[in-house]
Amino acid sequence: MTMSDTMTPCAINLFDFHGGIHPAEHKIESNQQPIRQLPLPPKLILPLKQHIGAASKVLVEPGQQVLKGQKLAEADGLFSVALHAPTSGVIESVTDHPVAHPSGQSDRCIMLIPDGQDTWCEREVCENPFALDANEIREKIHHAGIAGMGGAGFPTGIKLSPPPASKIQTLILNAAECEPYITADDRLLQERAAEVLAGLSLVQKVIGAPQCLIGIEDNKPEAIAALKAALAEHKAATNGTMQLCVIPTKYPSGGEKQLIKILTNKEVPSMGLPADIGIVCHNVGTVLAVYRAVRFGEPLISRITTLTGEQIQQKGNVEVLLGTPIDWLMTQCNYHPATPERLIHGGPMMGFTLLHADVPVVKTTNCILAPSVSELPLPPPAQACIRCGLCADVCPAELLPQQLYWFARAEEYEKAEHHNLFDCIECGACSYVCPSSIPLVQYYRHSKGEIKQIKENQRKSDQARERFEARQRRLEAEQAEKAAKRKERAEAAAKAQAEKLAQAESKPELAPEAAKKAVVNEALERVQAKHTESPEEALDVDALKSAWEKAQAKLDKMYDTLEDAKVNMPDQVDKLKRAVEKNQMRVNQAKLAWQNAQKTLAQAAVMPPPDNDVQIAAAPHAALPDIDALKDALLKAEAKLVKMQETLADAAPEQQEKLTRAVEKNKVRVEAAKQALDEAHQQLATINQKDNSEGGSN
């Protein structure tokens, strides 16, 4: 449906979008006074993430002196923007602090204490910014840390670099500012329309759009008049490519997709971007920041914010430094909070209630609303859905809000996504008209967050699986390579053996039997060479004993952990039992290896010499079992057992079960020590018997 008959001075046909509502505007309370400048706050809280995408990377350290406009954090990746000092001062710390978020969550922030001097760093002033080429302008905007100031916080540098396949035909300046109470853009156009148009011209030059449309609602007559006057002066510079389009007042006509529909009758595809249909949209505050950055070298360090609501006596718009605590900001406008205190970040439709008043102003803070209960009553308890269909009638995205609500409640996120949940702009029109007072937008926001978290978990899982599969492929390749090398060595050995046999057969003086014997002798020589080292050199008894003791100590700790888990962490008991059993096997193996090594050395001490001409000395006594050490270990274990039994007798009833298990465990250790001592005695007896028999034969 066209609306060109009522829309002047726009020279193009206007269209309408589905749905929409007409809430009370409440704009006159704050758009009649000029923008005020505020003094320096005592402290600035600067979150590293004030935009969509990755948080910026810190460049400063606590205690460092910084100047106004100095870069504090640089962009970390494509979807990230830089952060600059709003004034000169000292970096107090880099820590977590609550930020403006519906959940009241904390984020990483830079704490800056102003020094009161407000000293600028060196800036690159450009007298004729329109003489710069597109790449130079884009580079200045990127370094200025500018993000969309209309609410979403999309990095401006990304919008100014559309894909090569997206030929941009139309640039739209979104001056609709449709949400009730908010007048920041309205007042900005009334006072600085010429600078806004200059910034718009720079953006138009960067993206190369032949057409530029300015969309503004008809409830802003002063701003419209200021734009007309500025366009008349700016007409020669733009060659008449800019057109002012006054549109009817209807919420949410300021939504990006809805404004595109009104001005061009084009629809942004589902999950798509305006650039996909050759259109780019920018906010009034954003293009003003572009002009200040290119012309004067000023990064984005402040913004215009509306302060309104019945609890604020001095309503209006202020130019506030980024990072200014909102509780301090309220003291500058004669704020008289009611009980309980209620502050809304943003407007009444798309804003959210702040859980903490000391959160900072960020790049997307366009309004702080402090309504009274009579002005903006608290929503009543939600009732059952009556399936009236009003939510679907007013949805500007032409979704099925009622169906999305059921999917969200049932946590059927896949179905919700299939019904285009992410096309919801969270305008709040459905919640506004719901007769059952169901907070539909909150359900949609929660579902979106859950879906994003599920996808992030899936992405991490896929990465882990890919790493595992890559490792498996690498191990298989290594095994194949080792197998190939073993095969090559076997083939080389077989070939060498065949050559030796051939040489033996070629000599007449060597019979086949002699050749065969020669091969056998060579094999025996190789085996003998491998066993030339003594048993003492081959077996490190001390190392084996140390390994056993370490394994036993680890097992003891695991037993203690298991006992504690039975009381404090019952769900971990089965897992710890399996670990204890597994470690018990390792202890047994280590002990057996040590005992076998002792037996081997003891036997080596009484073995006859391998050759009649070579006498081998007996093994040193150090290789024999250490009876004294084993006795000492047994005595210590028995003493510990006696002490534990005494403790058990005096223990409180609630400790009896735990101490009983510990006593039983220590009894097992005492029996093991006794067995080790008995085996050592038997081993010494065997060695002495062999020594006596050899002495008698000699």
Side-chain angles (χ1 to χ4, degrees), residues 636-669:
K636 288 182 179 179
E638 290 176 340
K640 184 177 180 181
L641 177 60
V642 172
K643 185 175 181 180
M644 293 181 68
Q645 289 173 335
E646 294 174 352
T647 304
L648 175 60
D650 299 333
E654 61 271 14
Q655 297 292 327
Q656 291 283 340
E657 183 179 356
K658 179 178 179 181
L659 290 173
T660 300
R661 290 193 295 267
V663 167
E664 293 299 326
K665 184 171 67 174
N666 217 57
K667 285 181 179 179
V668 174
R669 293 173 181 167

Side-chain angles (χ1 to χ4, degrees), residues 540-553 582-598:
D540 190 345
V541 178
D542 294 337
L544 292 173
K545 183 178 180 182
S546 176
W548 169 46
E549 292 174 345
K550 289 181 179 178
Q552 183 64 52
K582 186 175 181 181
N583 216 57
Q584 181 66 63
M585 294 175 60
R586 293 174 180 168
V587 171
N588 294 339
Q589 291 171 354
K591 181 179 178 181
L592 183 60
W594 171 61
Q595 292 174 344
N596 289 339
Q598 284 185 315

